[in-house]
Amino acid sequence: MRDKVVKQLIGLGLAFFCACSPVYGQEKQDELVILTTFSREPLNALIEQFSQLYPQVEVRLIHRRTQSAIQLLNRSYIQDVDMVLSSSPFLMQQLAEHDRLNVIKWRTSAPQWMKSFILPPKDQVAVLGYSGAGIVWNQDYLTAKQLPAPQSFAALIDPIYFGHIAMSTPSRSGTTQLMIESILHQYGWEKGWRIILNVGANLGTISARSFGVSDYVAKGQFGIGPTIDSYALLLQKGFDHLQFSYDQDFTLMPTYIAEVSDKGRDQYTQKFVQMLLSNEVQAKLDHSSFAKHALMDDQLYSDALPTIAFSTVMMREQLVNKIFDMAITKRLPMLKDSWLAITTLEKQLTKVEHLERLAQIKMLLFTLPFDEQEVQQRGESIMRLNAKTALEQNQSEVLMAEFDHQLTLALAESMAQVEVQLKDLKAKAK
């Protein structure tokens, strides 16, 4: 009898808990769930405006970086995401390839000049606005350190900026991915990587968040950093010493909206998109906390801006991220030590043959051990797997582990050669 009563009480308790507790996959009628790579702060004003129009709707944001956002939507028990909002074409493309996005019913009339910058499938994403990218700097910091204001990413190779630069990584930031690929498109694979590695050797820190770069610079922890304009322009409102300059070597970066296919047609997703594309929101988009340029605002457009060959970029996306992490992030102290040794020795050398030898050592330090064709071929092998099944995912991981191992060995060998040659040159220069 006692056991029966206990079982009835437990049953009632579980029933009450299930009725009162939210469960993954159990959606509310009046809820809009947005998966985004943006932080909440820039979106607050837009969410508040939507809430005024539809006070009965609870808007919930799920913030994820690009890769974790893909992983989240690939988990079957997460069924309550309605829409995706991001500047990362890599995220949108992967979601489209894995059949996670609806074909959009609402159309946006993107101007002709913008179409070459819209990278994912145009029938599955809409464009809300766009960002430019450039260099943010703290003028008080530069004045105190007697540093000139840089006007481009390529200018940051100058050794005078050693230790003064903050930057994020392409594996953690979709916008940083686009900056890196912009440099590779603008200067070519070899010269592009020489610039990127040289800037890497000047880094003072690597930020885990893309918006952390502007924060570091605004607070004076570091003086300079590459960033999208929205982060810098927002902080400029509170920090008079913060300056920003657009870089013509960086592509334009549209902000994408997409509807998740698992949900069918969600009425609030469409209402939210209609609000974003309305004349009222578009007219003040660049002055809002979101700080994006409106669709019809062409002031940043130039024929000189690089456009990204997206099929090429998608094919090598994982490999480029891996190269940056292995060649810069994981060996940053060694990279900086070698660069400092080169710049210090350069001031001491007087003979032409010694300076020429030092230039060769510098070239070795900033030369990638794999050429573009080899990386492209490896990317093709990985992309052919598609990674839709567990077996394909395992095979893809094996190929990436093999590339990781070979890259690690090649980078270690080139760094060892740099150290040996520097030691030899120092001995001869005495």
Side-chain angles (χ1 to χ4, degrees):
M1 181 69 181
R2 181 176 176 274
D3 290 343
K4 185 177 180 181
V5 171
V6 169
K7 288 179 181 179
Q8 287 176 341
L9 288 172
I10 292 172
L12 287 170
L14 286 172
F16 178 79
F17 178 80
C18 292
C20 297
S21 301
V23 179
Y24 278 126
Q26 179 182 332
E27 60 181 290
K28 298 177 182 178
Q29 285 297 109
D30 295 325
E31 183 179 55
L32 175 63
V33 181
I34 304 171
L35 178 64
T36 182
T37 53
F38 298 110
S39 58
R40 185 177 184 89
E41 288 76 14
L43 294 172
N44 274 339
L46 295 173
I47 292 172
E48 287 173 10
Q49 184 171 345
F50 184 78
S51 295
Q52 289 174 1
L53 294 171
Y54 305 97
Q56 78 279 13
V57 180
E58 178 188 349
V59 180
R60 186 155 60 90
L61 289 184
I62 301 176
H63 170 72
R64 292 288 188 277
R65 295 189 183 98
T66 299
Q67 289 304 317
S68 59
I70 294 167
Q71 292 166 6
L72 181 68
L73 276 178
N74 281 336
R75 291 173 184 164
S76 59
Y77 62 83
I78 302 294
Q79 298 173 2
D80 58 349
V81 175
D82 298 301
M83 63 178 290
V84 185
L85 179 62
S86 177
S87 289
S88 173
F90 306 99
L91 169 60
M92 294 301 188
Q93 182 68 28
Q94 291 211 34
L95 294 179
E97 288 177 356
H98 286 74
D99 303 320
R100 305 313 302 261
L101 302 179
N102 277 333
V103 173
I104 56 175
K105 297 296 185 182
W106 19 268
R107 290 287 175 185
T108 56
S109 53
Q112 189 64 36
W113 60 265
M114 187 186 284
K115 290 182 179 178
S116 61
F117 299 99
I118 302 173
L119 303 179
K122 294 177 177 60
D123 63 337
Q124 291 179 286
V125 299
V127 176
L128 156 62
Y130 71 97
S131 293
I135 308 299
V136 63
W137 69 88
N138 184 319
Q139 189 57 55
D140 289 349
Y141 182 105
L142 297 193
T143 301
K145 304 287 186 180
Q146 298 183 325
L147 296 172
Q151 299 301 311
S152 69
F153 184 83
L156 298 179
I157 66 173
D158 195 315
I160 61 172
Y161 296 120
F162 181 81
H164 299 298
I165 304 169
M167 184 177 176
S168 188
T169 72
S171 60
R172 290 179 172 269
S173 163
T175 52
T176 304
Q177 277 183 294
L178 289 174
M179 291 182 208
I180 295 299
E181 282 292 353
S182 294
I183 296 298
L184 296 178
H185 275 68
Q186 196 78 325
Y187 292 93
W189 182 263
E190 290 184 11
K191 186 177 179 181
W193 273 114
R194 283 203 299 272
I195 292 170
I196 294 164
L197 291 170
N198 201 157
V199 173
N202 273 337
L203 292 180
T205 191
I206 294 176
S207 173
R209 309 171 303 164
S210 56
F211 49 87
V213 172
S214 295
D215 283 340
Y216 277 133
V217 175
K219 293 171 183 175
Q221 292 171 276
F222 298 92
I224 308 158
T227 184
I228 60 170
D229 56 4
S230 52
Y231 296 142
L233 297 177
L234 275 175
L235 283 171
Q236 269 188 329
K237 296 175 182 179
F239 298 94
D240 294 337
H241 55 261
L242 205 63
Q243 302 295 318
F244 177 82
S245 176
Y246 287 100
D247 189 341
Q248 291 294 300
D249 286 340
F250 289 152
T251 190
L252 297 182
M253 304 176 188
T255 299
Y256 303 106
I257 321 163
E259 188 175 26
V260 176
S261 59
D262 287 352
K263 297 302 296 295
R265 299 291 173 186
D266 182 81
Q267 60 168 323
Y268 295 124
T269 295
Q270 297 184 45
K271 290 181 186 299
F272 189 74
V273 172
Q274 288 169 4
M275 185 199 77
L276 296 178
L277 299 177
S278 68
N279 292 334
E280 180 186 359
V281 169
Q282 288 286 310
K284 57 186 181 183
L285 197 61
D286 59 340
H287 299 297
S288 71
S289 60
F290 201 40
K292 301 292 180 185
H293 297 271
L295 284 172
M296 298 305 165
D297 178 2
D298 64 354
Q299 64 174 312
L300 297 187
Y301 174 71
S302 165
D303 289 335
L305 290 170
T307 53
I308 303 296
F310 197 47
S311 59
T312 299
V313 169
M314 282 300 300
M315 199 169 294
R316 69 190 189 195
E317 176 206 1
Q318 293 183 64
L319 300 174
V320 168
N321 291 353
K322 177 64 70 175
I323 290 169
F324 190 98
D325 284 341
M326 299 300 295
I328 297 177
T329 308
K330 291 188 178 181
R331 64 170 192 162
L332 186 58
M334 289 185 294
L335 189 64
K336 292 176 68 173
D337 286 347
S338 296
W339 178 225
L340 183 59
I342 288 172
T343 56
T344 302
L345 186 57
E346 187 174 28
K347 296 172 185 176
Q348 301 168 359
L349 298 179
T350 55
K351 292 183 178 181
V352 173
E353 62 266 30
H354 290 163
L355 289 168
E356 288 177 348
R357 178 76 184 281
L358 189 65
Q360 293 171 356
I361 297 172
K362 175 185 171 182
M363 180 73 75
L364 177 60
L365 180 64
F366 298 139
T367 296
L368 203 65
F370 294 133
D371 62 28
E372 184 173 18
Q373 183 178 2
E374 186 175 358
V375 170
Q376 207 65 25
Q377 288 172 348
R378 289 171 181 267
E380 288 173 4
S381 298
I382 292 170
M383 202 166 190
R384 276 197 297 268
L385 293 171
N386 207 7
K388 282 189 175 182
T389 68
L391 177 60
E392 289 174 337
Q393 181 65 36
N394 289 338
Q395 291 173 332
S396 176
E397 289 172 0
V398 168
L399 291 177
M400 283 301 299
E402 180 183 302
F403 178 75
D404 187 309
H405 177 67
Q406 293 176 354
L407 179 61
T408 299
L409 292 178
L411 289 171
E413 182 180 348
S414 66
M415 184 64 78
Q417 290 180 24
V418 167
E419 291 173 356
V420 169
Q421 292 183 32
L422 271 174
K423 185 177 180 180
D424 182 57
L425 181 56
K426 286 177 184 178
K428 289 180 178 179
K430 283 182 179 179

